[in-house]
Amino acid sequence: MKDKSPIILALDTPDVSSVMAIIESTLDSISIYKIGLEFFLAHGKPGVKSIQDRFADIDIFLDLKLHDIPNTVAGASASIAELQPRFLTVHASGGNEMVRAAVLQLPSTSVTAVTVLTSLNEQELGHLGLPRDPAELAISLGRRAIEAGSTSIVCSPLEAATLRRALGESVTIITPGVRPENSAKEDQNRVMTPHEAIAQGANYDVIGRPITHAPDPKEAAKKIRNSLL
Ligand code: C5P
């Protein structure tokens, strides 16, 4: 099925009825929904299945950010395989073998490598003994994950153009940390508009509160979708 827009809607709540209501109200504009730890740890696979049963035409982005030894990640990936998420996140910093362990268990899922968390600034990267330049670090993490079989990566919109140049056209680039013009930044610091992120080379924008907390989520989703056409 063709995507209705390049928006992935972040459903950051453990509340099942809110999740169902927000999907229902945004279906005209969005076809990929991101389920993260907040929901998954509360409701597990049955919770995800209840969403899939009710909305047969949506795709699930399962944002579990797996990070462990390869054997454990293989087992965790096998445990969620029956959900057939379109995307599953793993931390690229878990290394080549770990990423490959997920890829081997999930042939029909795009194993999506999280590069550098946007919550880590240069100073914190330095304290952790990592390269201070997030773009430099994101390139090496992204390259390695792709070699291991990842087909998508998550990065800041500020690094999207650099990563697109470094990693080529075939990788799917997904950027959170976007905010429509005139909307509250909340805890996101370094933001771009959804349109700017796509112009920088991203394929998808992950957007949460600007839609889920809007007075009229249906309208908010439609407005952002139209800004991306
Ligand atoms: O509400 P908001 O639009 O800020 O939601 C953004 C989503 O993207 C959240 O689910 C958040 O966990 C996720 N995310 C992020 N920054 C990252 C990685 C993921 O904001 N670096």
mmCIF file of all heavy atoms in Angstrom, residues 8-12 34-36 38 61 63 65 89 114-120 154-157 174-180 184-188 191 206-213, ligand 1:
data_model
loop_
_atom_site.group_PDB
_atom_site.id
_atom_site.type_symbol
_atom_site.label_atom_id
_atom_site.label_comp_id
_atom_site.label_asym_id
_atom_site.label_seq_id
_atom_site.Cartn_x
_atom_site.Cartn_y
_atom_site.Cartn_z
ATOM 1 N N ILE A 8 5.365 9.663 10.229
ATOM 2 C CA ILE A 8 5.222 8.524 11.146
ATOM 3 C C ILE A 8 4.728 9.123 12.456
ATOM 4 O O ILE A 8 5.410 9.964 13.061
ATOM 5 C CB ILE A 8 6.576 7.805 11.356
ATOM 6 C CG1 ILE A 8 7.086 7.213 10.026
ATOM 7 C CG2 ILE A 8 6.442 6.719 12.424
ATOM 8 C CD1 ILE A 8 8.491 6.622 10.089
ATOM 9 N N LEU A 9 3.538 8.743 12.874
ATOM 10 C CA LEU A 9 2.974 9.377 14.072
ATOM 11 C C LEU A 9 3.400 8.614 15.326
ATOM 12 O O LEU A 9 3.147 7.414 15.467
ATOM 13 C CB LEU A 9 1.444 9.424 13.991
ATOM 14 C CG LEU A 9 0.775 10.148 15.165
ATOM 15 C CD1 LEU A 9 1.159 11.619 15.220
ATOM 16 C CD2 LEU A 9 -0.743 10.018 15.108
ATOM 17 N N ALA A 10 4.047 9.340 16.261
ATOM 18 C CA ALA A 10 4.514 8.737 17.518
ATOM 19 C C ALA A 10 3.381 8.688 18.527
ATOM 20 O O ALA A 10 2.857 9.725 18.936
ATOM 21 C CB ALA A 10 5.685 9.557 18.073
ATOM 22 N N LEU A 11 3.018 7.461 18.917
ATOM 23 C CA LEU A 11 1.918 7.271 19.875
ATOM 24 C C LEU A 11 2.536 7.070 21.256
ATOM 25 O O LEU A 11 2.667 5.942 21.724
ATOM 26 C CB LEU A 11 1.108 6.036 19.478
ATOM 27 C CG LEU A 11 0.480 6.064 18.079
ATOM 28 C CD1 LEU A 11 0.022 4.673 17.672
ATOM 29 C CD2 LEU A 11 -0.680 7.047 18.045
ATOM 30 N N ASP A 12 2.965 8.157 21.880
ATOM 31 C CA ASP A 12 3.684 8.024 23.146
ATOM 32 C C ASP A 12 2.735 8.078 24.335
ATOM 33 O O ASP A 12 2.737 9.044 25.101
ATOM 34 C CB ASP A 12 4.752 9.128 23.249
ATOM 35 C CG ASP A 12 5.879 8.902 22.259
ATOM 36 O OD1 ASP A 12 6.285 7.742 22.097
ATOM 37 O OD2 ASP A 12 6.332 9.877 21.646
ATOM 38 N N LYS A 34 3.948 4.857 15.150
ATOM 39 C CA LYS A 34 5.098 4.404 15.946
ATOM 40 C C LYS A 34 4.656 4.045 17.362
ATOM 41 O O LYS A 34 4.108 4.868 18.088
ATOM 42 C CB LYS A 34 6.157 5.515 16.004
ATOM 43 C CG LYS A 34 7.384 5.125 16.818
ATOM 44 C CD LYS A 34 8.532 6.098 16.616
ATOM 45 C CE LYS A 34 8.607 7.198 17.631
ATOM 46 N NZ LYS A 34 9.010 6.774 18.979
ATOM 47 N N ILE A 35 4.913 2.784 17.713
ATOM 48 C CA ILE A 35 4.611 2.306 19.062
ATOM 49 C C ILE A 35 5.939 2.146 19.781
ATOM 50 O O ILE A 35 6.834 1.441 19.307
ATOM 51 C CB ILE A 35 3.874 0.960 18.992
ATOM 52 C CG1 ILE A 35 2.508 1.200 18.348
ATOM 53 C CG2 ILE A 35 3.729 0.361 20.380
ATOM 54 C CD1 ILE A 35 1.800 -0.062 17.993
ATOM 55 N N GLY A 36 6.060 2.827 20.917
ATOM 56 C CA GLY A 36 7.332 2.807 21.633
ATOM 57 C C GLY A 36 7.236 2.007 22.914
ATOM 58 O O GLY A 36 6.264 1.286 23.176
ATOM 59 N N GLU A 38 6.752 2.915 25.913
ATOM 60 C CA GLU A 38 5.693 3.278 26.860
ATOM 61 C C GLU A 38 4.471 2.361 26.674
ATOM 62 O O GLU A 38 3.914 1.835 27.636
ATOM 63 C CB GLU A 38 5.289 4.730 26.575
ATOM 64 C CG GLU A 38 5.058 5.538 27.800
ATOM 65 C CD GLU A 38 4.858 7.007 27.422
ATOM 66 O OE1 GLU A 38 5.640 7.547 26.602
ATOM 67 O OE2 GLU A 38 3.918 7.602 27.965
ATOM 68 N N PHE A 61 5.503 0.925 13.222
ATOM 69 C CA PHE A 61 6.922 1.206 13.468
ATOM 70 C C PHE A 61 7.132 0.862 14.945
ATOM 71 O O PHE A 61 6.641 1.562 15.820
ATOM 72 C CB PHE A 61 7.158 2.701 13.200
ATOM 73 C CG PHE A 61 8.578 3.187 13.351
ATOM 74 C CD1 PHE A 61 9.262 3.703 12.261
ATOM 75 C CD2 PHE A 61 9.222 3.184 14.571
ATOM 76 C CE1 PHE A 61 10.567 4.189 12.392
ATOM 77 C CE2 PHE A 61 10.520 3.676 14.705
ATOM 78 C CZ PHE A 61 11.189 4.176 13.615
ATOM 79 N N ASP A 63 9.171 0.826 18.006
ATOM 80 C CA ASP A 63 10.361 1.573 18.453
ATOM 81 C C ASP A 63 10.846 1.006 19.781
ATOM 82 O O ASP A 63 10.652 1.608 20.834
ATOM 83 C CB ASP A 63 9.989 3.060 18.578
ATOM 84 C CG ASP A 63 11.206 3.938 18.761
ATOM 85 O OD1 ASP A 63 12.343 3.452 18.552
ATOM 86 O OD2 ASP A 63 11.029 5.115 19.110
ATOM 87 N N LYS A 65 14.104 0.062 20.280
ATOM 88 C CA LYS A 65 15.526 0.419 20.428
ATOM 89 C C LYS A 65 16.316 -0.694 21.116
ATOM 90 O O LYS A 65 16.936 -0.492 22.160
ATOM 91 C CB LYS A 65 15.674 1.739 21.191
ATOM 92 C CG LYS A 65 15.105 2.939 20.439
ATOM 93 C CD LYS A 65 15.560 4.256 21.066
ATOM 94 C CE LYS A 65 15.046 5.461 20.317
ATOM 95 N NZ LYS A 65 13.606 5.688 20.449
ATOM 96 N N THR A 89 13.271 -0.689 15.574
ATOM 97 C CA THR A 89 14.525 0.012 15.854
ATOM 98 C C THR A 89 15.467 -0.812 16.737
ATOM 99 O O THR A 89 15.039 -1.513 17.654
ATOM 100 C CB THR A 89 14.281 1.371 16.546
ATOM 101 O OG1 THR A 89 13.429 1.177 17.675
ATOM 102 C CG2 THR A 89 13.673 2.374 15.611
ATOM 103 N N VAL A 114 19.174 3.202 15.089
ATOM 104 C CA VAL A 114 19.211 4.518 15.736
ATOM 105 C C VAL A 114 20.689 4.906 15.825
ATOM 106 O O VAL A 114 21.501 4.139 16.365
ATOM 107 C CB VAL A 114 18.573 4.442 17.144
ATOM 108 C CG1 VAL A 114 18.692 5.783 17.862
ATOM 109 C CG2 VAL A 114 17.115 4.015 17.042
ATOM 110 N N THR A 115 21.039 6.052 15.273
ATOM 111 C CA THR A 115 22.455 6.456 15.280
ATOM 112 C C THR A 115 22.770 7.185 16.597
ATOM 113 O O THR A 115 23.012 6.546 17.606
ATOM 114 C CB THR A 115 22.784 7.306 14.039
ATOM 115 O OG1 THR A 115 21.928 8.444 13.997
ATOM 116 C CG2 THR A 115 22.640 6.485 12.763
ATOM 117 N N VAL A 116 22.732 8.515 16.597
ATOM 118 C CA VAL A 116 23.063 9.258 17.826
ATOM 119 C C VAL A 116 21.775 9.847 18.384
ATOM 120 O O VAL A 116 21.060 10.556 17.665
ATOM 121 C CB VAL A 116 24.059 10.402 17.511
ATOM 122 C CG1 VAL A 116 24.458 11.128 18.785
ATOM 123 C CG2 VAL A 116 25.280 9.857 16.794
ATOM 124 N N LEU A 117 21.490 9.582 19.641
ATOM 125 C CA LEU A 117 20.288 10.167 20.246
ATOM 126 C C LEU A 117 20.421 11.686 20.213
ATOM 127 O O LEU A 117 21.478 12.228 20.571
ATOM 128 C CB LEU A 117 20.136 9.701 21.698
ATOM 129 C CG LEU A 117 19.832 8.213 21.906
ATOM 130 C CD1 LEU A 117 19.841 7.881 23.400
ATOM 131 C CD2 LEU A 117 18.495 7.834 21.298
ATOM 132 N N THR A 118 19.353 12.349 19.813
ATOM 133 C CA THR A 118 19.434 13.814 19.726
ATOM 134 C C THR A 118 19.523 14.445 21.116
ATOM 135 O O THR A 118 19.827 15.615 21.251
ATOM 136 C CB THR A 118 18.213 14.384 18.977
ATOM 137 O OG1 THR A 118 17.054 13.707 19.429
ATOM 138 C CG2 THR A 118 18.334 14.208 17.486
ATOM 139 N N SER A 119 19.279 13.646 22.147
ATOM 140 C CA SER A 119 19.406 14.179 23.510
ATOM 141 C C SER A 119 20.871 14.277 23.948
ATOM 142 O O SER A 119 21.179 14.875 24.980
ATOM 143 C CB SER A 119 18.620 13.289 24.472
ATOM 144 O OG SER A 119 18.908 11.925 24.222
ATOM 145 N N LEU A 120 21.794 13.691 23.180
ATOM 146 C CA LEU A 120 23.219 13.777 23.535
ATOM 147 C C LEU A 120 23.858 14.969 22.829
ATOM 148 O O LEU A 120 23.898 15.012 21.605
ATOM 149 C CB LEU A 120 23.942 12.493 23.101
ATOM 150 C CG LEU A 120 23.490 11.190 23.769
ATOM 151 C CD1 LEU A 120 24.226 10.000 23.166
ATOM 152 C CD2 LEU A 120 23.741 11.247 25.269
ATOM 153 N N VAL A 154 17.739 6.179 11.884
ATOM 154 C CA VAL A 154 17.113 7.326 12.551
ATOM 155 C C VAL A 154 18.218 8.311 12.898
ATOM 156 O O VAL A 154 19.254 7.916 13.446
ATOM 157 C CB VAL A 154 16.401 6.894 13.857
ATOM 158 C CG1 VAL A 154 15.816 8.113 14.577
ATOM 159 C CG2 VAL A 154 15.315 5.880 13.571
ATOM 160 N N CYS A 155 18.007 9.578 12.540
ATOM 161 C CA CYS A 155 18.995 10.591 12.906
ATOM 162 C C CYS A 155 18.292 11.932 13.080
ATOM 163 O O CYS A 155 17.121 12.088 12.728
ATOM 164 C CB CYS A 155 20.092 10.706 11.845
ATOM 165 S SG CYS A 155 19.498 11.344 10.264
ATOM 166 N N SER A 156 19.018 12.900 13.612
ATOM 167 C CA SER A 156 18.491 14.254 13.740
ATOM 168 C C SER A 156 18.327 14.864 12.350
ATOM 169 O O SER A 156 19.136 14.591 11.449
ATOM 170 C CB SER A 156 19.502 15.093 14.535
ATOM 171 O OG SER A 156 19.345 16.452 14.231
ATOM 172 N N PRO A 157 17.319 15.711 12.163
ATOM 173 C CA PRO A 157 17.203 16.377 10.852
ATOM 174 C C PRO A 157 18.451 17.191 10.521
ATOM 175 O O PRO A 157 18.787 17.365 9.354
ATOM 176 C CB PRO A 157 15.978 17.287 11.010
ATOM 177 C CG PRO A 157 15.588 17.250 12.443
ATOM 178 C CD PRO A 157 16.228 16.065 13.077
ATOM 179 N N ILE A 174 15.047 8.505 8.587
ATOM 180 C CA ILE A 174 13.874 8.853 9.398
ATOM 181 C C ILE A 174 14.307 9.853 10.465
ATOM 182 O O ILE A 174 15.265 9.596 11.202
ATOM 183 C CB ILE A 174 13.302 7.572 10.060
ATOM 184 C CG1 ILE A 174 12.917 6.559 8.971
ATOM 185 C CG2 ILE A 174 12.124 7.899 10.971
ATOM 186 C CD1 ILE A 174 12.604 5.164 9.484
ATOM 187 N N THR A 175 13.621 10.994 10.522
ATOM 188 C CA THR A 175 14.053 12.036 11.453
ATOM 189 C C THR A 175 12.951 12.436 12.437
ATOM 190 O O THR A 175 11.906 12.939 12.036
ATOM 191 C CB THR A 175 14.496 13.315 10.694
ATOM 192 O OG1 THR A 175 13.452 13.715 9.812
ATOM 193 C CG2 THR A 175 15.754 13.109 9.919
ATOM 194 N N PRO A 176 13.199 12.229 13.746
ATOM 195 C CA PRO A 176 12.350 12.867 14.755
ATOM 196 C C PRO A 176 12.904 14.276 15.006
ATOM 197 O O PRO A 176 13.788 14.727 14.262
ATOM 198 C CB PRO A 176 12.539 11.983 15.981
ATOM 199 C CG PRO A 176 13.871 11.331 15.799
ATOM 200 C CD PRO A 176 14.238 11.387 14.344
ATOM 201 N N GLY A 177 12.390 14.954 16.018
ATOM 202 C CA GLY A 177 12.922 16.291 16.304
ATOM 203 C C GLY A 177 12.463 17.291 15.270
ATOM 204 O O GLY A 177 13.203 18.203 14.885
ATOM 205 N N VAL A 178 11.237 17.143 14.769
ATOM 206 C CA VAL A 178 10.697 18.137 13.834
ATOM 207 C C VAL A 178 9.520 18.845 14.482
ATOM 208 O O VAL A 178 8.795 18.263 15.279
ATOM 209 C CB VAL A 178 10.262 17.513 12.488
ATOM 210 C CG1 VAL A 178 11.452 17.038 11.689
ATOM 211 C CG2 VAL A 178 9.297 16.364 12.687
ATOM 212 N N ARG A 179 9.369 20.096 14.135
ATOM 213 C CA ARG A 179 8.273 20.899 14.671
ATOM 214 C C ARG A 179 7.731 21.795 13.578
ATOM 215 O O ARG A 179 8.512 22.513 12.937
ATOM 216 C CB ARG A 179 8.781 21.802 15.814
ATOM 217 C CG ARG A 179 9.003 21.065 17.127
ATOM 218 C CD ARG A 179 7.682 20.649 17.729
ATOM 219 N NE ARG A 179 7.816 19.833 18.923
ATOM 220 C CZ ARG A 179 7.862 18.492 18.937
ATOM 221 N NH1 ARG A 179 7.806 17.813 17.814
ATOM 222 N NH2 ARG A 179 7.954 17.824 20.064
ATOM 223 N N PRO A 180 6.398 21.769 13.369
ATOM 224 C CA PRO A 180 5.819 22.707 12.403
ATOM 225 C C PRO A 180 6.087 24.128 12.849
ATOM 226 O O PRO A 180 6.267 24.376 14.052
ATOM 227 C CB PRO A 180 4.317 22.407 12.466
ATOM 228 C CG PRO A 180 4.185 21.140 13.219
ATOM 229 C CD PRO A 180 5.406 20.929 14.021
ATOM 230 N N ALA A 184 4.960 24.601 19.638
ATOM 231 C CA ALA A 184 5.829 24.554 20.819
ATOM 232 C C ALA A 184 6.932 23.526 20.605
ATOM 233 O O ALA A 184 6.697 22.453 20.060
ATOM 234 C CB ALA A 184 4.991 24.158 22.029
ATOM 235 N N LYS A 185 8.149 23.873 21.056
ATOM 236 C CA LYS A 185 9.260 22.939 20.872
ATOM 237 C C LYS A 185 9.253 21.844 21.928
ATOM 238 O O LYS A 185 9.905 20.819 21.790
ATOM 239 C CB LYS A 185 10.584 23.701 20.987
ATOM 240 C CG LYS A 185 10.944 24.491 19.746
ATOM 241 C CD LYS A 185 12.449 24.588 19.664
ATOM 242 C CE LYS A 185 12.952 25.968 19.466
ATOM 243 N NZ LYS A 185 14.357 26.150 19.770
ATOM 244 N N GLU A 186 8.548 22.073 23.036
ATOM 245 C CA GLU A 186 8.591 21.172 24.193
ATOM 246 C C GLU A 186 10.048 20.859 24.527
ATOM 247 O O GLU A 186 10.861 21.749 24.564
ATOM 248 C CB GLU A 186 7.772 19.889 23.928
ATOM 249 C CG GLU A 186 6.291 20.091 24.044
ATOM 250 C CD GLU A 186 5.548 19.868 22.723
ATOM 251 O OE1 GLU A 186 6.180 19.788 21.672
ATOM 252 O OE2 GLU A 186 4.318 19.825 22.769
ATOM 253 N N ASP A 187 10.378 19.549 24.695
ATOM 254 C CA ASP A 187 11.757 19.225 25.071
ATOM 255 C C ASP A 187 12.674 18.998 23.870
ATOM 256 O O ASP A 187 13.802 18.563 24.033
ATOM 257 C CB ASP A 187 11.766 17.989 25.989
ATOM 258 C CG ASP A 187 10.992 16.821 25.394
ATOM 259 O OD1 ASP A 187 10.389 16.986 24.311
ATOM 260 O OD2 ASP A 187 10.999 15.748 26.002
ATOM 261 N N GLN A 188 12.220 19.269 22.668
ATOM 262 C CA GLN A 188 13.088 19.132 21.496
ATOM 263 C C GLN A 188 13.884 20.434 21.361
ATOM 264 O O GLN A 188 13.314 21.514 21.366
ATOM 265 C CB GLN A 188 12.258 18.902 20.229
ATOM 266 C CG GLN A 188 11.406 17.641 20.255
ATOM 267 C CD GLN A 188 12.215 16.375 20.015
ATOM 268 O OE1 GLN A 188 13.449 16.417 19.976
ATOM 269 N NE2 GLN A 188 11.549 15.253 19.887
ATOM 270 N N VAL A 191 15.574 21.749 16.302
ATOM 271 C CA VAL A 191 14.464 21.270 15.466
ATOM 272 C C VAL A 191 14.503 21.873 14.060
ATOM 273 O O VAL A 191 15.148 22.893 13.813
ATOM 274 C CB VAL A 191 13.093 21.608 16.101
ATOM 275 C CG1 VAL A 191 12.902 20.868 17.407
ATOM 276 C CG2 VAL A 191 12.925 23.094 16.289
ATOM 277 N N VAL A 206 9.241 11.715 11.979
ATOM 278 C CA VAL A 206 8.509 11.190 13.149
ATOM 279 C C VAL A 206 7.945 12.383 13.898
ATOM 280 O O VAL A 206 8.692 13.283 14.301
ATOM 281 C CB VAL A 206 9.439 10.402 14.098
ATOM 282 C CG1 VAL A 206 8.675 9.984 15.360
ATOM 283 C CG2 VAL A 206 10.010 9.177 13.410
ATOM 284 N N ILE A 207 6.635 12.404 14.061
ATOM 285 C CA ILE A 207 5.991 13.542 14.724
ATOM 286 C C ILE A 207 5.045 13.003 15.791
ATOM 287 O O ILE A 207 4.298 12.056 15.533
ATOM 288 C CB ILE A 207 5.189 14.393 13.707
ATOM 289 C CG1 ILE A 207 6.110 14.812 12.555
ATOM 290 C CG2 ILE A 207 4.580 15.622 14.380
ATOM 291 C CD1 ILE A 207 5.410 15.570 11.443
ATOM 292 N N GLY A 208 5.110 13.594 16.970
ATOM 293 C CA GLY A 208 4.212 13.168 18.041
ATOM 294 C C GLY A 208 3.308 14.289 18.494
ATOM 295 O O GLY A 208 2.247 14.546 17.907
ATOM 296 N N ARG A 209 3.748 14.982 19.546
ATOM 297 C CA ARG A 209 2.875 15.951 20.226
ATOM 298 C C ARG A 209 2.258 17.033 19.346
ATOM 299 O O ARG A 209 1.114 17.433 19.605
ATOM 300 C CB ARG A 209 3.630 16.558 21.412
ATOM 301 C CG ARG A 209 3.803 15.550 22.541
ATOM 302 C CD ARG A 209 4.875 15.944 23.506
ATOM 303 N NE ARG A 209 6.196 15.873 22.889
ATOM 304 C CZ ARG A 209 7.319 16.174 23.504
ATOM 305 N NH1 ARG A 209 7.302 16.580 24.764
ATOM 306 N NH2 ARG A 209 8.476 16.069 22.881
ATOM 307 N N PRO A 210 2.966 17.537 18.313
ATOM 308 C CA PRO A 210 2.283 18.562 17.493
ATOM 309 C C PRO A 210 0.969 18.051 16.889
ATOM 310 O O PRO A 210 0.099 18.842 16.536
ATOM 311 C CB PRO A 210 3.313 18.887 16.404
ATOM 312 C CG PRO A 210 4.632 18.572 17.031
ATOM 313 C CD PRO A 210 4.368 17.369 17.913
ATOM 314 N N ILE A 211 0.829 16.724 16.791
ATOM 315 C CA ILE A 211 -0.445 16.171 16.315
ATOM 316 C C ILE A 211 -1.258 15.605 17.487
ATOM 317 O O ILE A 211 -2.415 15.963 17.668
ATOM 318 C CB ILE A 211 -0.202 15.075 15.253
ATOM 319 C CG1 ILE A 211 0.413 15.703 13.990
ATOM 320 C CG2 ILE A 211 -1.514 14.347 14.916
ATOM 321 C CD1 ILE A 211 0.867 14.718 12.925
ATOM 322 N N THR A 212 -0.619 14.776 18.312
ATOM 323 C CA THR A 212 -1.399 14.081 19.359
ATOM 324 C C THR A 212 -1.932 15.041 20.420
ATOM 325 O O THR A 212 -2.967 14.798 21.009
ATOM 326 C CB THR A 212 -0.557 12.974 20.044
ATOM 327 O OG1 THR A 212 0.646 13.564 20.549
ATOM 328 C CG2 THR A 212 -0.194 11.870 19.086
ATOM 329 N N HIS A 213 -1.210 16.134 20.680
ATOM 330 C CA HIS A 213 -1.672 17.102 21.686
ATOM 331 C C HIS A 213 -2.369 18.316 21.068
ATOM 332 O O HIS A 213 -2.680 19.271 21.780
ATOM 333 C CB HIS A 213 -0.494 17.586 22.557
ATOM 334 C CG HIS A 213 0.038 16.527 23.469
ATOM 335 N ND1 HIS A 213 0.959 16.778 24.456
ATOM 336 C CD2 HIS A 213 -0.221 15.187 23.551
ATOM 337 C CE1 HIS A 213 1.245 15.648 25.094
ATOM 338 N NE2 HIS A 213 0.552 14.678 24.559
HETATM 339 O O1 C5P B 1 6.265 14.506 20.505
HETATM 340 P P1 C5P B 1 7.464 14.524 19.610
HETATM 341 O O2 C5P B 1 7.167 15.003 18.199
HETATM 342 O O3 C5P B 1 8.630 15.249 20.238
HETATM 343 O O4 C5P B 1 7.858 12.984 19.493
HETATM 344 C C1 C5P B 1 9.013 12.579 18.833
HETATM 345 C C2 C5P B 1 9.147 11.088 18.904
HETATM 346 O O5 C5P B 1 10.403 10.729 18.375
HETATM 347 C C3 C5P B 1 9.110 10.502 20.323
HETATM 348 O O6 C5P B 1 8.500 9.221 20.224
HETATM 349 C C4 C5P B 1 10.559 10.371 20.700
HETATM 350 O O7 C5P B 1 10.794 9.321 21.601
HETATM 351 C C5 C5P B 1 11.186 10.052 19.343
HETATM 352 N N1 C5P B 1 12.589 10.392 19.239
HETATM 353 C C6 C5P B 1 13.103 11.668 19.407
HETATM 354 N N2 C5P B 1 14.442 11.912 19.271
HETATM 355 C C7 C5P B 1 15.267 10.905 18.980
HETATM 356 C C8 C5P B 1 14.774 9.620 18.799
HETATM 357 C C9 C5P B 1 13.409 9.399 18.939
HETATM 358 O O8 C5P B 1 12.366 12.605 19.669
HETATM 359 N N3 C5P B 1 16.534 11.138 18.809
#
